[in-house]
Amino acid sequence: VAFDWARDAHLLRDPVTAKLFLDSGRAPAAGTVHRQPQMAQTLRAIARHGHAGFYQGWVADDIVGCVRGHGGLMTEADLAATQPEYVTPIHTDYRGHRVWECPPNGQGLGVLMMLNVLSGYDLGPGSTLTEADRIHLLAEVGKQAYLHRDALFCDPVHEHVPVDHLLSDAWARRHRDAISLYGVHQPTVWPAVAHEDTVYLCVVDRDGLAVSLINSIFHSFGSTLTAPQSGVLLHNRGAGFSLDPGHPNLIAAGKRPMHTIIPGLLTRDGALAGPFGVMGGQYQASGHVALLSNLLDRGLDAQAALDAPRSFAFGGELDLESGYAPVIDEDLAARGHRVVRTGQPIGGGQLIHVDARTGLMTAGSDPRKDGCAAGW
C-alpha cells in the first residue's frame, strides 16, 4: 500500500483529499499510522442507521454538496433512491467445474467467454505447450473478449446484451479457429444473431456458505475528490461509460456504466468448490482466467495459483511481470506482441478452495497486496 500510495500521490491535488492522505505533501511511509476520523464518524452513522446512515442524512448531504460543488448533477433524491439488486448469475463449465459470475453490467461475462475458448486446448501439466505458448494464448483470447466487452457490455436494464450468443459453442469455436500459436490476429466483433483501487475478500463458514465480495473506486484514489465532513472518497466509475452516440454503454440518466469489478464462485457437481476474486481494474477478467487455469489446469494449490507470474495483454501491449525469464520476451515479440516490462505487479487476488470429498478448505492470499489467509 505504501508503494502504491507514493506512486500515485501526485494525483492528490484536491485540497481536502491532499490534507487527508498526504503528510506535508508526501505519501506516508510504511509503518506510519494513518487516521481518518471523518470516515470513522461515517461508519458509526452506518452502524447506527444502516442504509439510511449513508444514503440519507448528513453523510448524503456532504457527498451531494461535494459533487455539486465540483459541477456535478447529483441530488439528495438520487442517493436516497439507491437500492441493491439481486441478479441471476451466469456460468460456464470448465474442467469439470462450474464457474459463476455476475451478469453485465460487469465484465464477468468476458471471463466465461475466455474459458469457453480455452477449454478446447490441453493446458495441463503434461501439455506440449511452452510457457510462451500459454502467455500467447491468454493474450489472444483476452483481446477478443475485451473487444466484445467494450463494444457490447452495458446496463441490461437499458440495452440488450447478447449473453447467450457470447456463451455459445459457436462463438467459442469461431474464435478458437482464428487463433494461431505463431502470430497475433486482429480481433473482430462478431455480432449476435437478431432478437474494472479495489478490495476483494471471501469467506466460507462451517456450514459451507460462501461470500465472494469485491468493491472498488476504480482508478487510484478514484475521482481524487473527498467529501469534507464524511471523509468519503468519491469513485470515478463514470469513466466506464461511452460517449459515442448509439453505443449501448452510452452515458444516460439512471444508467450504470460497464464496470470491471467481478466476484467469482466455483462449484463442482453442485457443491461449493470455492469463492475467488482478482483485483486490478481492467485486468480482472484475464486475472480470473489465469487463476482458474493455474488451479484447474496446472493443479496448483490456492497459494501457488496466486503466486504464479502474470501477463496482461491490453491497449496494444503485452505486460509481463518480473517472474518471467527475460528470454521469453524475444519469443513473444517474434509472434507480433509488443512486450513491455513495467515493473509493476499485475493485480492481486484471494481464493478459498474447498475439497468436496474431504471438506478440507485451503486458502491463498496474493503477495502483491496487503492481506492474509486465515482460519478461525
Side-chain angles (χ1 to χ4, degrees), residues 13 104 111 142 153 163 181 202 213 241 255 257 274 304 326 339-340 353 363:
R13 295 185 290 269
V111 176
F153 292 13
V163 174
L181 272 179
C202 53
L213 174 70
F241 278 121
K255 191 174 183 179
V339 180
V340 297
H353 186 243

Side-chain angles (χ1 to χ4, degrees), residues 168-356:
S168 68
D169 291 340
W171 189 94
R173 184 170 56 252
R174 186 172 181 181
H175 178 41
R176 194 182 304 121
D177 290 344
I179 293 177
S180 166
L181 272 179
Y182 309 105
V184 303
H185 76 284
Q186 186 65 34
T188 304
V189 173
W190 299 320
V193 294
H195 28 263
E196 257 211 17
D197 265 15
T198 306
V199 174
Y200 176 80
L201 63 88
C202 53
V203 181
V204 179
D205 71 8
R206 62 184 175 186
D207 298 317
L209 301 176
V211 171
S212 184
L213 174 70
I214 196 162
N215 187 51
S216 174
I217 57 173
F218 203 22
H219 294 166
S220 295
F221 296 102
S223 66
T224 74
L225 302 177
T226 303
Q229 303 304 316
S230 61
V232 174
L233 185 62
L234 304 178
H235 68 72
N236 67 326
R237 280 285 162 191
F241 278 121
S242 171
L243 298 179
D244 295 335
H247 195 288
N249 192 37
L250 178 67
I251 189 170
K255 191 174 183 179
R256 300 167 297 177
M258 189 284 293
H259 70 77
T260 60
I261 52 176
I262 46 173
L265 193 72
L266 195 64
T267 60
R268 179 164 189 163
D269 298 328
L272 176 69
F276 65 92
V278 176
M279 298 162 274
Q282 309 287 4
Y283 173 69
Q284 288 183 42
S286 285
H288 277 210
V289 173
L291 177 60
L292 290 172
S293 185
N294 286 339
L295 188 72
L296 303 180
D297 286 316
R298 306 184 108 168
L300 301 182
D301 64 39
Q303 188 61 56
L306 289 163
D307 290 348
R310 291 177 178 152
S311 63
F312 184 36
F314 189 76
E317 297 180 340
L318 177 57
D319 190 9
L320 303 182
E321 283 189 334
S322 59
Y324 289 115
V327 69
I328 214 165
D329 298 42
E330 185 177 345
D331 183 320
L332 292 165
R335 305 184 197 211
H337 294 286
R338 183 184 173 194
V339 180
V340 297
R341 297 268 190 163
T342 64
Q344 306 291 341
I346 300 176
Q350 315 280 356
L351 167 68
I352 300 173
H353 186 243
V354 182
D355 188 317

Side-chain angles (χ1 to χ4, degrees), residues 40-54 58-59:
Q41 293 300 321
T42 295
L43 293 175
R44 290 189 180 98
I46 295 170
R48 189 174 301 115
H49 303 292
H51 176 275
F54 186 87
W58 70 270
V59 175

